[in-house]
């Protein structure tokens, strides 16, 4: 009888000791945030403005950020709206993008490209064993954004860029306001 109880206790102990929590990262867990840009009317700075046919291309890349994964051809790289979110590099302290306004227009005189360079520092934060680490960013105090037209001899379509939040810890708030 004692052997049976002892065997049952050993079996139950081994059975429960082999169980472990699933290592699945919940889809609702906060991950590395993207930079949130909101566009405003330069003539009425309190009014949010829709930017049309915007294509965002990372430096050294030939294709843009995919905004519409179900679209085909160049349309998947183009968006229209008042707010966009773009990723920052997690292995460098600078990310550079070309923002092409009115991309795809057949009249090249109506297509405008501005370059923005985002300067920041990075901190890796442990989320969980299942999710690993996420990176949070802090825009540099001096020269967080360097803005120019492409080519440099043309006028900029973005007139002014305002840093609203230096700490980029989530995507629930606007980090940069762009006036055009």
């Amino acid at each position: 009888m004692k052997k049976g109880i002892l065997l049952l206790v050993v079996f139950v102990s081994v059975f429960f000791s082999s169980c472990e929590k699933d290592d699945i990262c919940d889809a609702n867990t906060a991950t590395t945030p993207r930079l949130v840009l909101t566009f405003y009317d330069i003539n009425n700075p309190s009014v949010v403005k829709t930017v049309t046919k915007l294509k965002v291309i990372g430096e050294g890349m030939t294709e843009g950020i995919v905004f519409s994964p179900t679209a085909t051809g160049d349309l998947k790289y183009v968006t229209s709206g008042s707010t966009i979110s773009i990723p920052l590099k997690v292995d460098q302290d600078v990310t550079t993008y070309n923002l092409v306004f009115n991309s795809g227009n057949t009249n090249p005189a109506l297509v405008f490209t501005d370059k923005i360079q985002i300067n920041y520092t990075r901190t890796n934060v442990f989320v969980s064993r299942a999710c690993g680490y996420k990176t949070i960013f802090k825009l540099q105090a001096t020269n967080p954004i360097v803005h120019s037209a492409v080519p440099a001899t043309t006028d900029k379509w973005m007139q002014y860029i305002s840093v609203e939040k230096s700490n980029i810890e989530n995507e629930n708030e606007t980090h940069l306001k762009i006036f055009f």
Side-chain angles (χ1 to χ4, degrees):
M1 180 79 148
K2 285 188 176 187
K3 272 188 167 182
I5 293 175
L6 182 60
L7 187 59
L8 181 63
V9 169
V10 169
F11 176 72
V12 170
S13 297
V14 170
F15 179 75
F16 283 111
S17 69
S18 66
C19 295
E20 65 180 64
K21 184 180 170 199
D22 287 338
D23 281 344
I24 298 173
C25 186
D26 182 13
N28 296 322
T29 302
T31 57
T32 298
R34 294 173 294 173
L35 181 71
V36 178
L37 292 77
T38 303
F39 298 93
Y40 288 85
D41 188 340
I42 190 70
N43 297 318
N44 194 351
S46 62
V47 175
V48 176
K49 186 174 179 181
T50 297
V51 63
T52 56
K53 296 183 181 179
L54 179 68
K55 184 174 185 180
V56 181
I57 306 168
E59 185 175 56
M61 306 297 287
T62 56
E63 298 176 341
I65 294 175
V66 176
F67 289 108
S68 303
T70 57
T72 58
D74 283 342
L75 292 178
K76 65 183 169 185
Y77 306 114
V78 178
T79 188
S80 293
S82 60
T83 300
I84 62 167
S85 298
I86 57 176
L88 297 175
K89 293 180 181 179
V90 296
D91 60 347
Q92 295 180 18
D93 290 337
V94 63
T95 301
T96 303
Y97 283 108
N98 284 328
L99 282 77
V100 184
F101 177 74
N102 211 8
S103 176
N105 192 306
T106 56
N107 182 352
L110 298 176
V111 178
F112 304 97
T113 303
D114 281 12
K115 178 188 283 190
I116 60 169
Q117 176 182 305
I118 304 116
N119 301 304
Y120 50 88
T121 57
R122 301 166 278 130
T123 304
N124 291 325
V125 177
F126 182 73
V127 176
S128 70
R129 190 172 85 180
C131 299
Y133 288 85
K134 72 176 184 176
T135 304
I136 56 175
F137 307 95
K138 181 173 176 67
L139 296 176
Q140 290 182 354
T142 57
N143 290 330
I145 307 296
V146 178
H147 173 219
S148 60
V150 176
T153 57
T154 61
D155 291 332
K156 297 182 245 181
W157 70 268
M158 294 184 285
Q159 301 299 308
Y160 179 71
I161 300 174
S162 168
V163 175
E164 293 301 303
K165 300 285 182 181
S166 293
N167 294 329
I168 303 165
E169 298 176 3
N170 62 60
E171 296 178 16
N172 301 334
E173 56 196 6
T174 297
H175 303 114
L176 298 180
K177 286 184 175 181
I178 297 178
F179 298 88
F180 74 104

